[in-house]
């Protein structure tokens, strides 16, 4: 675990979103980080498809970056690489 410095405005955005989504601030930040990472790796997918990928990856083996890159991801339409 480490410490990440963010702006006061981003912290406030995290606080608001975490309350709305019933997550801790740290869990909300991690969620946004995972979605952002996937969006950069797979820009052709929508946020909904990326969220579905996160769920599948978590069910299969956890969201380890090495797993995301080394194995094909599955969308509702099939596998992608």
């Amino acid at each position: 675990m480490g410490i990440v410095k963010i702006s006061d405005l981003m912290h406030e955005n995290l606080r608001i979103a975490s309350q709305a989504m019933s997550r801790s601030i740290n869990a909300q930040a991690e969620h946004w980080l995972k979605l952002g990472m996937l969006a950069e790796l797979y820009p052709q997918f929508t946020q909904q498809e990326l969220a579905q990928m996160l769920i599948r990856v978590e069910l299969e083996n956890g969201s380890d970056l090495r797993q995301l890159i080394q194995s094909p991801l599955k969308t509702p339409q099939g596998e992608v690489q």
Side-chain angles (χ1 to χ4, degrees):
M1 175 170 29
I3 295 175
V4 176
K5 290 189 176 201
I6 60 172
S7 69
D8 290 340
L9 179 58
M10 180 55 73
H11 189 271
E12 181 63 12
N13 291 339
L14 276 166
R15 187 188 65 73
I16 293 167
S18 70
Q19 288 177 344
M21 301 302 292
S22 300
R23 297 179 176 129
S24 70
I25 290 175
N26 287 346
Q28 184 65 42
E30 187 170 338
H31 176 72
W32 282 351
L33 287 166
K34 287 177 184 178
L35 276 178
M37 178 185 65
L38 284 175
E40 287 187 350
L41 291 171
Y42 302 100
Q44 68 273 27
F45 295 114
T46 66
Q47 185 275 337
Q48 181 181 4
E49 291 169 326
L50 295 174
Q52 290 173 354
M53 285 184 214
L54 272 178
I55 291 169
R56 284 191 186 90
V57 167
E58 192 62 37
L59 287 172
E60 291 174 6
N61 52 20
S63 53
D64 182 351
L65 178 60
R66 291 169 293 211
Q67 296 290 334
L68 290 171
I69 293 171
Q70 292 172 356
S71 63
L73 292 176
K74 295 176 186 144
T75 67
Q77 294 77 33
E79 285 190 1
V80 295
Q81 185 63 347

